[in-house]
């Protein structure tokens, strides 16, 4: 699962990566609920993204690549969620 979230489990994870995992987990759960034709609740997403952005802004430069990978994975999952929501809406 961590690979799907953009995290490498063998390395110690900075706080910002843990915040990214929370955002990613919320998006993954939303995609699962959508696939099961269940209601999805993204109301917590904005706050979690804000916390992630704050943590990223305070992270040391040495963590930049890991943060970039985590955020790229989030964006990919958001794009998938968008496509899935659009497809469901168009049905």
């Amino acid at each position: 699962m961590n690979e799907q979230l953009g995290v490498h489990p063998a390395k110690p994870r900075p706080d910002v990566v843990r915040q990214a995992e929370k955002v990613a987990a919320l998006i993954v759960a939303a995609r699962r609920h959508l696939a099961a034709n269940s209601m999805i609740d993204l109301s917590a997403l904005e706050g979690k993204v804000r916390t992630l952005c704050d943590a990223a802004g305070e992270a040391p430069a040495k963590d930049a690549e890991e943060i970039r990978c985590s955020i790229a994975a989030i964006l990919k999952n958001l794009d998938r969620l968008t496509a899935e929501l659009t497809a469901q809406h168009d049905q």
Side-chain angles (χ1 to χ4, degrees):
M1 171 95 174
N2 280 344
E3 287 297 321
Q4 183 179 6
L5 302 178
V7 177
H8 304 285
K11 296 170 66 177
R13 298 172 315 169
D15 182 57
V16 67
V17 175
R18 288 191 299 275
Q19 297 301 326
E21 287 175 335
K22 292 177 184 179
V23 172
L26 179 66
I27 297 165
V28 168
R31 291 181 63 214
R32 282 191 196 125
H33 285 285
L34 186 64
N37 289 322
S38 299
M39 290 289 289
I40 61 173
D41 180 8
L42 296 174
S43 61
L45 185 60
E46 182 179 355
K48 289 189 184 310
V49 169
R50 185 177 299 116
T51 301
L52 170 60
C53 290
D54 291 346
E58 296 173 7
K62 68 178 181 61
D63 296 334
E65 182 60 21
E66 189 170 8
I67 293 167
R68 187 197 66 73
C69 289
S70 295
I71 291 173
I74 288 169
L75 292 174
K76 186 180 286 189
N77 262 325
L78 276 174
D79 287 344
R80 289 179 184 145
L81 178 60
T82 299
E84 291 162 2
L85 283 166
T86 300
Q88 185 184 57
H89 181 270
D90 290 345
Q91 289 180 353

